Amino acid sequence: MKERYIHLSKTIDNLPLFHQPWWLDAVTPDNKWDICLTFDKMGNVTGVLPYCIEKKWGLSMSRMPPLTPYLGSWIADYHGQKRHGLYSWQMKILKELIRQVPGFHYAAWKFQPQIENWYPFYLNDYQQSTAYTYILENITERDKIWEGLKNTVRTDIRKAEDELIISNDKDVDLLFRLQEKTFLRQNSKVPYSKDLLHRIVNAIDKNQCGTLLFVSHSGGEPVAGQLLVWDQNTAYNLVMGMDNDKIVPGAIQYLIWHSLQIAAEKVSTYNFEGSMLPHVEPVFRHFGAKMTPYFKVWKDMNRWITLARILTGR
């Protein structure tokens, strides 16, 4: 099934970035992922549910891979006219996808914000919690987006335009160092390796769906950096790091504003990501984006995994 998906993925319209086989190859060790698929009578893919494969403590698990904010089920567009037909279409596909999921002791996905139906998972004893991200739509309407910013954000960006420089650079090690300093400020470590970040950047370069951005003083060292990625519809603020020893007011706001202009040349929607962090959420909120819910769906089949998840918060 996996090889078939790798071949067919190139023919699937609107397949999200994080569902692409090459993305899953980049973020999973030794390409340990597989796929559940459904098809219509013509052999077209109607449903996709990727899962990662992990063995730990003698138990089989499927968790979200690092630097992958969303995964879960994807369903092809429904072309009928009536709502009950749409729900029946979704139910049929999701039931079949769930049936194909291996018997993991623990399995979890974070669904794309567009996925509103997790009911078939509920019927199969999965649990659900709701998280939030901030999303800006119609980002090509630059003047309207600018007017939607908080007044102080606009002021910060104007000042930054006179004092700071944005550059495109493929210095992955620099971005990782900025991430280390960001997490150090939170008394924690970066939850992924530098090698993983290199693999992702190499993959997005090859597939032309992302860029690295840095903001600095003229002739100075960068004070903040960002990895921006996109698919056919949405750009994602995937990674952002800042040098805590060189905090420059407005640097992050200016960096985000610049990345919005780049994204607007590619897509119509911008997903800020990271919006559940209390010290980050206000920054994104002040850009006038819409607070948007998304689902985390999981199933525990082992009490020790349940206890470990509670203790670690995962």
Side-chain angles (χ1 to χ4, degrees):
M1 191 75 80
K2 181 176 177 179
E3 291 302 318
R4 188 178 183 185
Y5 176 61
I6 291 172
H7 173 70
L8 289 175
S9 63
K10 299 174 183 177
T11 68
I12 302 174
D13 292 334
N14 296 321
L15 186 68
L17 171 66
F18 309 113
H19 287 64
Q20 295 287 346
W22 60 264
W23 181 275
L24 294 167
D25 285 344
V27 297
T28 55
D30 303 320
N31 299 340
K32 289 184 178 179
W33 64 273
D34 214 321
I35 197 78
C36 304
L37 294 174
T38 60
F39 302 89
D40 63 17
K41 295 179 180 179
M42 303 297 293
N44 301 309
V45 176
T46 56
V48 172
L49 181 61
Y51 57 87
C52 300
I53 304 166
E54 182 180 353
K55 290 285 187 179
K56 200 167 187 178
W57 310 308
L59 302 172
S60 60
M61 293 185 285
S62 178
R63 297 186 290 184
M64 290 292 295
L67 287 181
T68 303
Y70 310 111
L71 208 54
S73 55
W74 172 89
I75 298 176
D77 291 337
Y78 175 70
H79 298 294
Q81 300 297 317
K82 297 187 177 181
R83 186 172 295 168
H84 69 80
L86 168 64
Y87 294 150
S88 297
W89 162 265
Q90 292 176 346
M91 288 287 288
K92 179 181 178 181
I93 292 171
L94 289 173
K95 284 181 178 179
E96 175 57 24
L97 291 175
I98 294 168
R99 186 192 67 79
Q100 296 177 31
V101 175
F104 291 113
H105 293 98
Y106 172 73
W109 296 273
K110 293 180 181 179
F111 288 5
Q112 291 271 344
Q114 298 91 332
I115 301 298
E116 299 176 342
N117 186 354
W118 76 280
Y119 180 56
F121 288 86
Y122 166 79
L123 295 177
N124 282 269
D125 299 322
Y126 285 80
Q127 300 180 66
Q128 176 267 340
S129 64
T130 302
Y132 292 90
T133 186
Y134 280 96
I135 293 177
L136 269 176
E137 297 179 339
N138 302 319
I139 59 175
T140 56
E141 300 177 6
R142 186 181 187 277
D143 292 343
K144 186 175 181 180
I145 297 298
W146 177 256
E147 288 302 316
L149 271 58
K150 188 177 180 180
N151 290 343
T152 55
V153 174
R154 291 203 298 266
T155 300
D156 287 341
I157 292 172
R158 289 191 186 103
K159 289 180 179 178
E161 286 176 334
D162 295 330
E163 301 172 2
L164 301 175
I165 296 174
I166 299 285
S167 60
N168 294 83
D169 198 322
K170 294 184 180 180
D171 193 341
V172 179
D173 291 347
L174 172 58
L175 181 61
F176 190 81
R177 289 198 300 272
L178 291 169
Q179 273 273 281
E180 286 181 315
K181 292 184 177 184
T182 299
F183 278 89
L184 182 62
R185 188 179 182 182
Q186 305 165 30
N187 296 314
S188 59
K189 295 182 179 179
V190 181
Y192 56 85
S193 69
K194 186 191 300 184
D195 287 343
L196 174 72
L197 189 57
H198 272 281
R199 291 203 305 271
I200 290 176
V201 172
N202 288 338
I204 67 169
D205 279 349
K206 183 177 180 180
N207 290 276
Q208 299 182 335
C209 61
T211 187
L212 279 171
L213 300 170
F214 294 96
V215 58
S216 61
H217 284 290
S218 179
E221 286 291 318
V223 297
Q226 180 190 32
L227 174 58
L228 179 73
V229 298
W230 55 77
D231 53 27
Q232 306 96 317
N233 303 303
T234 303
Y236 302 87
N237 172 33
L238 189 67
V239 175
M240 183 166 281
M242 186 170 184
D243 189 339
N244 300 316
D245 299 324
K246 302 175 183 177
I247 295 178
V248 178
I252 288 295
Q253 288 79 2
Y254 183 39
L255 184 60
I256 293 174
W257 178 247
H258 187 83
S259 72
L260 272 166
Q261 311 316 305
I262 293 176
E265 297 176 358
K266 309 288 183 180
V267 296
S268 62
T269 303
Y270 188 100
N271 188 322
F272 281 81
E273 263 304 300
S275 308
M276 293 295 285
L277 302 174
H279 61 286
V280 173
E281 183 270 341
V283 176
F284 297 162
R285 183 190 342 133
H286 294 166
F287 272 81
K290 181 181 179 181
M291 179 183 270
T292 306
Y294 64 92
F295 297 143
K296 177 182 178 181
V297 174
W298 75 92
K299 180 191 278 192
D300 287 336
M301 296 295 287
N302 182 282
R303 61 192 178 97
W304 297 113
I305 290 182
T306 304
L307 178 61
R309 275 200 318 101
I310 293 172
L311 293 175
T312 61
R314 296 187 64 181

